[in-house]
Amino acid sequence: MSAIYTLLPLLFVQSVFAATFETPVKEGDRLVLKGLEAQVLLTGQPGATLKISGVEESKAEGSYVVERKDNIIEVRMIEFNGKASWKNILPKANTQLRKIEISGLSLPTEVQLRGGSVVAQRWVKDLKVSVTHGRMSSANGSGSLQVYVQKGDVNIQDHTGRVNVDGYSGTCALRNIQGDVDASWFAGQLGLEKIRGFVALSTQTATAKLNSGAGTVQFENGKGSLTLQAFQGRIEGQNQDGNVTINLPLDSEVEVKSKSGKVAITVPPSSGAQVNLFTVDGEISVPGELRVAKLSAEKFARGRLRGDAQRASVFVRSQEGSILLK
């Protein structure tokens, strides 16, 4: 049986080309948007309808239309026919971005674009966004949020729920997240602040910083710089050739294995932290109350720092990288 698509009811026309559609929605409905280049705004609002503006009644090449099949509301771009059409439109795409605004009851949503931007405000259902070149931002949302950007910028703040971010280059900022975070960023800048949950970080040449939070951090760092500060809980990870800097609060523990990169750890005064450090070919620097012992080229330091708290632990292993504890 062939698929039957229903064109959603047209309520009013904004211009000769653009229109606004409004349709009732219910539990189980999903929203899918696919296109070449566009500026997409998702705004969650109370109610039982979904309003979509910036689409068209006609099905001309390059226009966006709205269709429905069962429980899926699809906003899609009419593809171009022939190589000549594609060659003409691709160089102009970034200067001809269609603005599509979607507001109403939040639905599980998937957005796929080659370029442009996606902005979500108060979107409280699962959201998956893929933008090859462009930017994505979300504020005051909840539910599962998945973002894939090859080159561009990501900004997510005040979110409740799991966040997955995957990017090759650009900048990524995550702030005030109540939920688990999985962030993979190859190059550029990765910043996280006020994260509560399980945090998985994967970086290659990126400069990454996590400032404050609680839970567990697991990281894999290649050649970039990674800084973790004021994160309460457990920190563990693998470092290759980059530099790792950790400012450890009380009631926290850290376990790091490094190849040739430097690992620098600062513990609070009078922490009484339990320390276990070892390097095969690197150097170890520790506070005066500890002693660095040598066995051939290998060096190690074990013991407890001064202090009555005794609520922190530091465990570091390196092949060639230096270990600095202060």
Side-chain angles (χ1 to χ4, degrees), residues 73-86:
I73 302 168
E74 183 178 44
V75 182
R76 65 183 180 90
M77 189 193 78
I78 303 298
E79 294 186 356
F80 296 91
N81 292 320
K83 294 182 179 179
S85 296
W86 282 107

Side-chain angles (χ1 to χ4, degrees), residues 32-266:
V32 177
L33 189 152
K34 298 180 180 180
L36 183 62
E37 311 271 356
Q39 294 178 338
V40 179
L41 173 61
L42 300 168
T43 304
Q45 298 175 349
T49 62
L50 197 68
K51 183 182 293 185
I52 305 171
S53 65
V55 291
E56 300 180 11
E57 292 183 275
S58 68
K59 291 193 175 183
E61 292 181 350
S63 64
Y64 283 82
V65 298
V66 184
E67 294 176 331
R68 181 164 192 159
K69 179 188 177 184
D70 299 327
N71 66 326
I72 298 177
I73 302 168
E74 183 178 44
V75 182
R76 65 183 180 90
M77 189 193 78
I78 303 298
E79 294 186 356
F80 296 91
N81 292 320
K83 294 182 179 179
S85 296
W86 282 107
K87 288 181 179 180
N88 290 333
I89 192 62
L90 285 176
K92 304 175 184 178
N94 282 317
T95 61
Q96 297 178 345
L97 294 182
R98 168 72 69 181
K99 294 182 179 180
I100 300 174
E101 297 186 5
I102 301 173
S103 61
L105 185 66
S106 298
L107 299 176
T109 300
E110 180 176 355
V111 179
Q112 297 179 19
L113 294 173
R114 176 181 178 272
S117 64
V118 179
V119 177
Q121 299 175 350
R122 302 182 300 278
W123 204 256
V124 295
K125 290 292 186 178
D126 293 353
L127 175 60
K128 182 177 180 180
V129 176
S130 177
V131 181
T132 305
H133 302 282
R135 66 182 183 88
M136 190 278 167
S137 67
S138 173
N140 301 298
S142 62
S144 173
L145 177 57
Q146 301 179 60
V147 181
Y148 304 90
V149 176
Q150 182 173 326
K151 182 178 181 180
D153 302 320
V154 175
N155 190 318
I156 300 170
Q157 60 182 354
D158 303 323
H159 187 88
T160 301
R162 182 176 179 84
V163 175
N164 289 70
V165 178
D166 191 342
Y168 182 80
S169 66
T171 62
C172 177
L174 310 178
R175 186 178 186 276
N176 195 20
I177 310 297
Q178 305 290 325
D180 296 343
V181 172
D182 189 335
S184 177
W185 209 258
F186 189 89
Q189 304 286 327
L190 173 62
L192 304 92
E193 184 176 2
K194 296 182 179 179
I195 312 295
R196 300 185 68 86
F198 182 92
V199 182
L201 300 177
S202 177
T203 55
Q204 184 56 36
T205 62
T207 298
K209 182 176 182 180
L210 169 57
N211 183 18
S212 76
T216 298
V217 174
Q218 287 186 350
F219 69 84
E220 294 183 4
N221 182 51
K223 300 179 180 180
S225 172
L226 174 63
T227 300
L228 308 171
Q229 61 184 33
F231 189 89
Q232 196 85 32
R234 178 170 176 79
I235 298 172
E236 58 185 54
Q238 305 276 343
N239 180 52
Q240 295 299 315
D241 305 319
N243 293 327
V244 176
T245 302
I246 301 173
N247 293 319
L248 196 68
L250 288 175
D251 295 318
S252 297
E253 55 185 20
V254 59
E255 180 176 338
V256 177
K257 295 180 181 179
S258 180
K259 184 182 177 183
S260 60
K262 177 182 177 181
V263 178
I265 300 175
T266 301

